Amino acid sequence: MSHLLNASPHAPEAAGAPRWRWFAFASPRRFDPIARRLAPWFFAAALVFALAGLYVGFLVAPTDAQQGEVYRIIFIHVPAAWMSMFIYLVMAMYSALALVFHTRLSSTMASALAPTGAMFTAIALLTGALWGQPTWGTWWVWDARLTSELLLLFLYLGYMALEAAIDEPRRAERACAVLALVGSLNVPVIYFSVRWWNTLHQGASVSLTAAPSMAMTMLAGMLLMTLACWMYSIAVALVRVRCILRERGVVGG
């Protein structure tokens, strides 16, 4: 495996080798300059999408007939909630790659994503409380969707705490990978909780199997903010991976 990770892209390829060439990018020394070049572009894209999404969501989208102006918090709440689940699944994917192929860059990517995922989960919970108080008359209820999302925040925090508690990097990577994979079972619980149980939380307004139950300007603002969160997550992960690689002495400064 090591000769595949360090192979030159110009070297002759053995039979069957082309399908493994993507492993070359698991080499930290190859990944680092790519991350350095891409991070500013993702930060710029995040800023553009965020400005466009905030403009559409707060200035262009119409007032909701039932909730009034308070509904506009969904332009922050929904993208944050989506990203909280998506990032955890990506972490679980990288953790599986690390366990199967022993690529340390995969573990580093999972570690780099955890703080951003925790941040989006906290934002989703906070904005949900701000929306719930005028809508439900309470800041918090032990609703299935809210409780499982709170559990997701604990999983993120537990992942970071476990990583910090184990001094030996290899053991920490394996333990965190197992935690990420087991914790990923909570993501479908979050997503399907409004279908499986009788909850206060409203159902999905956007679905892959049905037309959106909102005005197109509302949907546009929500999707723009989601793209902004996505671009930001990639940019921060690239920067954080480069920092981790330097802390571990894998690449030079």
Side-chain angles (χ1 to χ4, degrees):
M1 182 64 70
S2 60
H3 73 280
L4 290 173
L5 295 180
N6 299 318
S8 167
H10 304 293
E13 294 173 342
R19 64 176 178 171
W20 295 103
R21 285 190 63 182
W22 63 275
F23 270 111
F25 294 100
S27 169
R29 295 186 181 276
R30 293 196 179 201
F31 179 84
D32 183 73
I34 296 173
R36 176 177 54 82
R37 290 193 294 268
L38 290 179
W41 292 99
F42 281 110
F43 275 123
L47 178 61
V48 171
F49 282 127
L51 292 175
L54 291 172
Y55 174 77
V56 173
F58 287 88
L59 297 177
V60 177
T63 302
D64 186 77
Q66 295 181 335
Q67 300 182 39
E69 298 293 346
V70 72
Y71 93 96
R72 296 187 191 278
I73 203 167
I74 69 169
F75 295 111
I76 298 174
H77 172 72
V78 173
W82 284 348
M83 290 305 300
S84 69
M85 294 183 285
F86 179 71
I87 289 175
Y88 201 93
L89 290 178
V90 174
M91 282 177 53
M93 179 197 71
Y94 276 122
S95 297
L97 289 174
L99 289 174
V100 174
F101 297 110
H102 305 289
T103 51
R104 297 200 67 184
L105 186 61
S106 299
S107 297
T108 306
M109 285 295 298
S111 176
L113 285 167
T116 306
M119 179 194 72
F120 279 122
T121 308
I123 291 174
L125 290 169
L126 176 61
T127 54
L130 293 174
W131 176 85
Q133 203 284 328
T135 305
W136 297 340
T138 181
W139 297 100
W140 178 267
V141 292
W142 290 102
D143 177 271
R145 171 65 62 84
L146 274 65
T147 304
S148 53
E149 183 74 7
L150 179 62
L151 177 58
L152 183 64
L153 177 61
F154 291 153
L155 286 168
Y156 275 120
L157 297 177
Y159 181 99
M160 292 185 286
L162 181 62
E163 183 180 39
I166 302 176
D167 294 330
E168 206 281 306
R170 289 286 190 180
R171 288 180 53 239
E173 290 170 0
R174 288 193 294 268
C176 290
V178 172
L179 176 61
L181 288 171
V182 173
S184 65
L185 297 175
N186 183 54
V187 175
V189 174
I190 298 172
Y191 184 80
F192 291 109
S193 58
V194 293
R195 301 184 188 180
W196 293 345
W197 295 286
N198 183 23
T199 68
L200 283 175
H201 200 286
Q202 69 185 60
S205 300
V206 180
S207 172
L208 296 176
T209 59
S213 58
M214 61 174 61
M216 290 308 297
T217 50
M218 295 180 183
L219 178 61
M222 191 181 300
L223 294 180
L224 285 169
M225 288 300 296
T226 302
L227 286 171
C229 294
W230 197 354
M231 296 299 104
Y232 172 82
S233 300
I234 295 174
V236 171
L238 292 175
V239 172
R240 195 173 285 127
V241 165
R242 297 188 69 221
C243 292
I244 294 173
L245 293 177
R246 277 154 181 76
E247 289 175 357
R248 296 178 179 177
V250 178
V251 296

